[in-house]
């Protein structure tokens, strides 16, 4: 019986130490995501704001192209502009989902069997994880796949307007 008490105590200490280690790693990851956001925030804003107009121009140029080579070149430019934009949105979405999943993982652990200090540490992890990390546009708007969808929708609207104006003049 005395042996079991030592084992349980040792297990609690090991679990607590591993939780503290995970918390420190989580804090480092949060700092890295904030640093990445600081670096990319203005770049993302520029890409989002300029891509719509530039893609619209290339799409119009593809529509009015006089030959298949010009059409393919302009269509290729549209795709080349969409790929980096999609990458920003996709990986920001993954970052957001992963950091949001930390709270679920902490809650789904066997927290109710831990001591008061362990529960308090988990509470801090859950509390911090309720605000998921994300890349933003100028520190304002979180970027996700819905942002990519909004850019495509806006681009299509501009393209439809410009296309109808071009068709009316011809």
């Amino acid at each position: 019986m005395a042996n079991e008490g030592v084992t349980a105590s040792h297990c609690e200490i090991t679990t607590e130490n591993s939780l503290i280690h995970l918390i420190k790693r989580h804090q480092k990851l949060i700092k890295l995501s904030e640093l990445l956001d600081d670096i990319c925030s203005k770049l993302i804003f520029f890409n989002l704001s300029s891509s719509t107009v530039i893609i619209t121009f290339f799409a119009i140029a593809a529509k009015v192209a006089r030959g298949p080579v010009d059409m393919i070149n302009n269509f290729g430019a549209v795709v080349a502009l969409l790929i980096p934009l999609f990458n920003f949105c996709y990986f920001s979405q993954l970052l957001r989902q992963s950091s949001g999943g930390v709270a679920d993982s902490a809650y789904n652990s066997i927290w109710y069997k831990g001591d008061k200090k362990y529960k308090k540490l988990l509470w801090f992890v859950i509390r911090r994880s309720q605000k998921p990390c994300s890349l933003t546009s100028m520190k304002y708007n979180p970027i996700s796949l819905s942002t990519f969808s909004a850019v495509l929708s806006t681009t299509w609207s501009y393209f439809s307007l410009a296309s109808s104006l071009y068709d009316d003049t011809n």
Side-chain angles (χ1 to χ4, degrees), residues 14-153:
T14 304
T15 304
E16 190 173 298
N17 286 340
S18 64
L19 179 62
I20 291 171
H21 175 71
L22 288 174
I23 289 172
K24 288 179 181 179
R25 285 189 64 197
H26 186 237
Q27 289 171 340
K28 285 180 185 177
L29 289 173
I30 290 170
K31 287 179 185 176
L32 284 173
S33 71
E34 289 171 354
L35 180 63
L36 182 64
D37 187 42
D38 289 341
I39 293 169
C40 294
S41 182
K42 292 177 185 172
L43 178 66
I44 292 171
F45 175 76
F46 178 75
N47 276 345
L48 289 174
S49 59
S50 64
S51 290
T52 301
V53 175
I54 295 170
I55 291 170
T56 302
F57 284 135
F58 278 114
I60 293 294
K63 181 179 179 179
V64 300
R66 297 187 187 255
V69 174
D70 288 337
M71 184 183 296
I72 291 171
N73 283 340
N74 288 317
F75 182 72
V78 168
V79 172
L81 288 166
L82 286 175
I83 289 173
L85 192 63
F86 176 78
N87 282 337
F88 274 126
C89 295
Y90 177 73
F91 288 111
S92 180
Q93 178 82 28
L94 286 180
L95 175 65
R96 192 171 176 80
Q97 287 174 344
S98 297
S99 67
V102 171
D104 293 335
S105 296
Y107 182 75
N108 290 331
S109 70
I110 308 174
W111 57 269
Y112 47 86
K113 290 187 177 179
D115 62 353
K116 189 174 183 176
K117 184 177 180 184
Y118 181 79
K119 290 176 186 177
K120 195 176 212 179
L121 288 172
L122 273 182
W123 181 82
F124 282 116
V125 170
I126 292 171
R127 184 78 174 127
R128 173 53 184 98
S129 297
Q130 289 176 343
K131 179 186 175 252
C133 300
S134 179
L135 297 177
T136 60
S137 174
M138 296 294 286
K139 301 280 185 193
Y140 176 69
N141 189 24
I143 304 301
S144 64
L145 288 175
S146 62
T147 307
F148 182 72
S149 176
V151 168
L152 289 180
S153 176

